[in-house]
Amino acid sequence: HLHFGDLTDGTALYSLLAKIRPTEIYHLGAQSHVRVSFDIPVYTGDATGLGTCRLLESIRDLKLPCRFYQAGSSEMYGGLLNDSLLSERTPFHPRSPYGAAKVYSHWITVNYREAQGIHASNGILFNHESPRRGETFVTRKITRWLAQHVKGLTDQPLYLGNLEAKRDWGYTPEYVCAMWRILQQETPDDYVIATGETHSIREFLDEAFGCLGIDWSKHVKIDPKYYRPAEVDVLLGDASKAAEKIGWVPRVKFKELVQIMVKADIKGEEHGLTEIWDRA
Ligand code: GDD
């Protein structure tokens, strides 16, 4: 069932929880675009940060016997520290209003766990991608443009920002399994979910265009409007706690992920699916 709601509307959230009385909540809602958070920082703080508190406070007030998953983010880190992988023990240093709001969400979740006894856990998920990724995020922007180019549907260049940033990109279906596993634990806790590999946007372009034998440098143009006032240069996670405690290990790595996305977008163009997704 789809119920309408808004993370900035605490009264409506409270009523929904009172009506549904869920046993598990996967809180994935947010203003989740990092670049956009610099344009609308107050709204981002309200929805992405306080939205989490509104949900937790409703659970507490209603005395709901439910488990709560909070979608943390690798954007809470400012990047690699002394070249060591980012883990649950690494201090946060957010570089965007989005990252700062997620740090609040992380700690308010820990606080409701410690102070109110709520079964509340944080998954600190590194970037996760799939054919369903929104088109304004860099991976899907690239694979969608590529599919349109191959099908002769665009004569525009692909405009991108910083090609040097590196991300630890995993495959979303596997990350959703990790969320579920986190909530099945008797004791709530916080876990990094990542592949342990990092690649630049440039490498993503190499792989995506390369698998079709196309030279991306002839098609990509840099538009500074996609630069961020402060960038997270390199993200690389250590998910060994998740492997040890909840038995989660990623299987799909970078090359396969890029190929899945390129193939799906080309197939989508062939079947007019992209158009359907546009309208959804
Ligand atoms: N979006 C976008 N568009 N990013 C670009 C572009 C472009 O045209 N060109 C270069 N980039 C660079 C960004 O500067 C950034 O370094 C990197 O590509 C990835 O950007 P996004 O795909 O927008 O993802 P993100 O890393 O900022 O954030 C995503 O992952 C987080 C987990 O670390 C989002 O899904 C967040 O909600 C999530 O928490």
Side-chain angles (χ1 to χ4, degrees), residues 32-34 73-75 98 125-127 133 136-138 141 159-162 165 167 201 226 228 231-232 235:
S32 69
H33 201 284
V34 176
S73 165
S74 47
E75 277 294 309
Y98 168 80
L125 270 56
F126 283 58
N127 297 50
R133 181 56 135 157
T136 59
F137 297 92
V138 74
K141 187 171 165 184
Y159 288 102
L160 294 173
N162 177 13
R167 290 291 180 271
I201 318 300
Y226 296 113
R228 293 163 184 193
E231 176 68 281
V232 172
L235 287 174

Side-chain angles (χ1 to χ4, degrees), residues 52-60 68 108-109 112 118 120:
T52 305
C53 190
R54 291 186 182 102
L55 284 171
L56 285 163
E57 187 54 8
S58 300
I59 294 170
R60 187 195 66 76
F68 183 76
I108 201 70
T109 299
Y112 272 74
I118 290 176

Side-chain angles (χ1 to χ4, degrees), residues 21-280:
R21 299 192 67 81
T23 51
E24 291 186 355
I25 295 180
Y26 294 85
H27 169 39
L28 313 184
Q31 188 304 97
S32 69
H33 201 284
V34 176
R35 173 68 192 83
V36 169
S37 77
F38 288 97
D39 299 332
I40 48 169
V42 175
Y43 174 77
T44 302
D46 195 3
T48 307
L50 282 177
T52 305
C53 190
R54 291 186 182 102
L55 284 171
L56 285 163
E57 187 54 8
S58 300
I59 294 170
R60 187 195 66 76
D61 202 15
L62 290 162
K63 299 189 178 49
L64 279 185
C66 92
R67 296 184 173 188
F68 183 76
Y69 171 88
Q70 201 289 118
S73 165
S74 47
E75 277 294 309
M76 297 189 294
Y77 304 113
L80 280 198
L81 270 182
N82 318 318
D83 286 340
S84 29
L85 268 60
L86 302 160
S87 77
E88 298 81 3
R89 295 174 305 282
T90 312
F92 298 138
H93 182 149
R95 304 260 296 156
S96 62
Y98 168 80
K102 281 288 180 186
V103 170
Y104 171 81
S105 276
H106 177 94
W107 286 116
I108 201 70
T109 299
V110 172
N111 181 255
Y112 272 74
R113 178 166 81 215
E114 293 176 348
Q116 310 296 347
I118 290 176
H119 190 296
S121 299
N122 287 293
I124 306 174
L125 270 56
F126 283 58
N127 297 50
H128 39 290
E129 318 292 318
S130 85
R132 294 186 183 183
R133 181 56 135 157
E135 290 144 20
T136 59
F137 297 92
V138 74
T139 54
R140 184 81 202 291
K141 187 171 165 184
I142 293 170
T143 58
R144 187 157 181 230
W145 184 92
L146 192 51
Q148 291 185 336
H149 171 74
V150 168
K151 296 289 165 198
L153 298 171
T154 181
D155 53 6
Q156 293 296 307
L158 170 59
Y159 288 102
L160 294 173
N162 177 13
L163 305 186
E164 312 310 328
K166 290 180 150 190
R167 290 291 180 271
D168 180 332
W169 279 299
Y171 186 43
T172 304
E174 297 186 332
Y175 284 48
V176 175
C177 288
M179 296 175 195
W180 180 81
R181 280 178 186 239
I182 289 171
L183 277 207
Q184 307 320 305
Q185 306 310 304
E186 258 336 288
T187 312
D189 204 347
D190 308 320
Y191 298 91
V192 161
I193 301 295
T195 68
E197 270 187 31
T198 192
H199 297 275
S200 64
I201 318 300
R202 203 176 271 283
E203 287 172 85
F204 194 99
L205 288 165
D206 285 341
E207 195 56 44
F209 282 66
C211 69
L212 299 174
I214 303 172
D215 177 359
W216 61 262
S217 65
K218 296 198 167 70
H219 301 284
V220 171
K221 290 211 172 351
I222 301 301
D223 184 338
K225 93 169 173 216
Y226 296 113
Y227 289 150
R228 293 163 184 193
E231 176 68 281
V232 172
D233 293 326
V234 185
L235 287 174
L236 178 59
D238 169 7
S240 51
K241 177 177 171 186
E244 193 190 315
K245 302 252 159 120
I246 61 169
W248 182 85
V249 179
R251 310 253 171 243
V252 176
K253 295 290 181 74
F254 179 68
K255 266 180 193 262
E256 194 185 345
L257 170 64
V258 179
Q259 283 168 17
I260 290 170
M261 292 184 71
V262 170
K263 274 188 200 149
D265 267 327
I266 291 177
K267 210 165 154 198
E269 287 300 350
E270 277 161 6
H271 294 91
L273 286 177
T274 312
E275 205 186 307
I276 294 166
W277 291 334
D278 276 350
R279 276 189 262 123

